Amino acid sequence: MYRRRVVITGLGIASPNGMTISEFKSSIQKGTSGIRLIKQLKELSFSCQIAGFPIYKEEHLNNYFNSVELRGLKATGMEYGVIAGVDAWKDAGFYVSNSETPLWNTGVIFGTGILGVDKFREAIYKVDEGNVRRLGSNTVIQTMASGISAFLGGKLGCGNIVTTNSSACSTGTEAILMAYDRIASGNAEVILAGSTSDSGPYVWGGFDAMRILPYKYNDNPTQASRPMSASASGFVPGSGAGALVIESLDSAQKRGATIYAEILGGTINSGGQRNGGSMTAPNSIAVQHCIQSAIKNSGIYPEDIDAINGHLTATTKDSAEIQNWCEALGLKGNDFPYINSLKSMVGHCLAASGSIESVATVLQLKENFIFGNVNCEDLNPEIASLVPRDRIPTKTINFSPNIIAKASFGFGDVNACVIFKKY
């Protein structure tokens, strides 16, 4: 079946280490961490008292919300998603439409794991106190999962698909592939794709209770997130949002848009929680199948991949992920691509991780570099037996990648892998 070529024409970010694309690019090139001590977590007796979340002044929101929309706004995921989404839209050369006619060929696919947990908490207290009439008119949009895509769709006047997907840590990468499929098949011209995640103790508390977060780095936050390291002791929670304007090549060329990269294809699948897969562990056969299917779908060969942006969360599963990449690609030793993990600098941004990491991946293609893996000087011996040390750089290197594979693997044994190419 004929598929149209699909490209990326806009980027937006709300990351723990950058609120603009230029700031974010500089941070990942320099290895600047956005992980910090959170006093509230200490006061609440969390074992892990550190996290990564976007930092900005309250008045910054005036650039994205009007006074009515700001009234009672307590959904951090909504804030992050709107900031990233609107910035990506403008970066692509579009404007916020005031037309009464919807943009029929333009849509939004913006995922989240949970939205408005602080607003929901506020609502519970008011209802229990008998103050239901004081909830405010914007409570529903802040607490429904599709509130983020609905808000962006209305802000931009989109008349095509406007929806929210939710697949745990795979959400952002899945949203990109959903947008790609819709445009490649001719059902849309432009889609704003991305994902967001709330921040705060009510989001991160469950993970702290599972004892899968590091607790020995509260006095040294920037050292805590250690993907592929021998001393890795769990993932650091994070939050934020990433957004990409995905567009048909024909549309982008007609309007003379700047093109960041091309999307060649990809695959979404599940391990069915079989063969070792569970709610929290991946089915390795399914992971390998996802990677191989993404390569086949993209019309490339494994050896065409210059770099991998992995899921790599700084847990015991890191070595298993590297093993899966080796098996899926059939490449080991010096033939293995460069591989890195953004989580060393921002933590694990949960549902937002795939989109934030995809923005970082696209920037590497556009700007000709591979960012380093912070806190990975002591490479895990199991990984070292599979991949040469120089394939896992600890500092940013000048390199011009042509093709990068980006993968995300989520709770529930769900997987997504997308293939980006330099344009």
Side-chain angles (χ1 to χ4, degrees):
M1 184 181 72
Y2 172 73
R3 295 188 301 180
R4 299 194 301 170
R5 292 176 67 183
V6 178
V7 295
I8 297 162
T9 56
L11 299 175
I13 196 74
S15 169
N17 65 347
M19 288 299 298
T20 65
I21 291 300
S22 60
E23 183 183 12
F24 180 63
K25 182 185 74 173
S26 177
S27 290
I28 64 177
Q29 287 177 323
K30 294 177 180 177
T32 302
S33 175
I35 297 169
R36 53 187 64 87
L37 177 70
I38 312 297
K39 291 182 179 179
Q40 185 184 18
L41 301 184
K42 183 176 182 179
E43 293 168 355
L44 293 171
S45 300
F46 273 54
S47 295
C48 177
Q49 299 166 6
I50 58 177
F53 67 93
I55 299 290
Y56 51 88
K57 294 181 180 179
E58 188 173 342
E59 51 263 35
H60 184 61
L61 296 175
N62 293 327
N63 298 315
Y64 305 91
F65 300 88
N66 62 38
S67 58
V68 174
E69 294 162 347
L70 282 171
R71 194 177 302 155
L73 180 61
K74 281 196 173 182
T76 53
M78 176 76 78
E79 293 179 15
Y80 305 153
V82 171
I83 290 170
V86 171
D87 283 357
W89 193 248
K90 292 180 178 178
D91 184 52
F94 292 114
Y95 60 93
V96 177
S97 174
N98 293 317
S99 171
E100 287 299 312
T101 302
L103 303 172
W104 301 119
N105 289 316
T106 300
V108 177
I109 302 176
F110 220 93
T112 188
I114 188 170
L115 193 71
V117 65
D118 286 326
K119 188 67 176 180
F120 194 67
R121 177 178 180 270
E122 177 187 77
I124 289 172
Y125 277 107
K126 286 186 177 179
V127 170
D128 287 348
E129 292 167 356
N131 291 321
V132 65
R133 293 183 182 274
R134 299 185 63 185
L135 286 179
S137 60
N138 61 5
T139 296
V140 172
I141 194 171
Q142 289 187 55
T143 56
M144 67 181 189
S146 60
I148 180 60
S149 58
F151 188 95
L152 284 167
K155 179 73 73 174
L156 306 178
C158 298
N160 203 276
I161 186 171
V162 175
T163 191
T164 293
N165 65 306
S166 186
S167 296
C169 317
S170 295
T171 299
T173 308
E174 180 183 79
I176 292 167
L177 286 169
M178 290 171 67
Y180 165 81
D181 283 340
R182 191 164 183 85
I183 294 171
S185 63
N187 291 310
E189 291 295 334
V190 181
I191 292 180
L192 175 63
S195 61
T196 188
S197 178
D198 270 16
S199 60
Y202 306 110
V203 177
W204 301 327
F207 299 109
D208 198 66
M210 293 173 69
R211 301 188 179 185
I212 57 176
L213 309 183
Y215 59 89
K216 296 180 180 180
Y217 295 90
N218 293 335
D219 295 329
N220 198 3
T222 61
Q223 298 294 310
S225 186
R226 312 182 67 83
M228 296 183 282
S229 165
S231 52
S233 57
F235 75 80
V236 176
S239 60
L244 304 89
V245 173
I246 300 175
E247 186 170 1
S248 72
L249 178 60
D250 289 343
S251 173
Q253 288 178 330
K254 284 178 182 177
R255 64 186 192 87
T258 296
I259 296 175
Y260 282 97
E262 183 171 2
I263 302 175
L264 296 183
T267 297
I268 301 164
N269 79 355
S270 170
Q273 300 182 41
R274 302 291 192 272
N275 193 36
S278 67
M279 187 62 77
T280 58
N283 174 344
S284 289
I285 299 301
V287 169
Q288 295 169 29
H289 187 265
C290 181
I291 295 167
Q292 291 171 336
S293 296
I295 291 169
K296 182 178 179 180
N297 178 263
S298 300
I300 63 171
Y301 297 98
E303 54 268 29
D304 295 329
I305 296 173
D306 298 303
I308 297 164
N309 183 246
H311 188 58
L312 299 165
T313 59
T315 66
T316 57
K317 297 299 180 183
D318 284 2
S319 57
E321 180 177 337
I322 298 298
Q323 178 69 52
N324 285 331
W325 280 106
C326 290
E327 294 291 337
L329 300 178
L331 301 173
K332 293 184 180 181
N334 292 325
D335 293 329
F336 197 81
Y338 290 109
I339 187 164
N340 56 17
S341 173
L342 187 69
K343 294 179 179 72
S344 61
M345 290 177 264
V346 301
H348 189 345
C349 294
L350 306 175
S353 61
S355 58
I356 293 174
E357 292 162 14
S358 289
V359 170
T361 300
V362 170
L363 286 173
Q364 291 178 103
L365 284 167
K366 181 67 172 175
E367 302 295 337
N368 301 314
F369 69 95
I370 299 294
F371 67 79
N373 295 281
V374 176
N375 302 325
C376 191
E377 289 76 14
D378 59 332
L379 185 62
N380 184 314
E382 294 181 18
I383 295 174
S385 68
L386 298 168
V387 180
R389 169 76 265 189
D390 66 353
R391 300 286 92 182
I392 306 173
T394 56
K395 303 288 185 181
T396 294
I397 60 173
N398 292 321
F399 179 74
S400 182
N402 188 51
I403 293 176
I404 302 181
K406 166 68 203 146
S408 299
F409 311 118
F411 264 47
D413 199 11
V414 292
N415 312 303
C417 182
V418 59
I419 308 295
F420 297 107
K421 184 179 184 295
K422 183 187 294 294
Y423 179 78

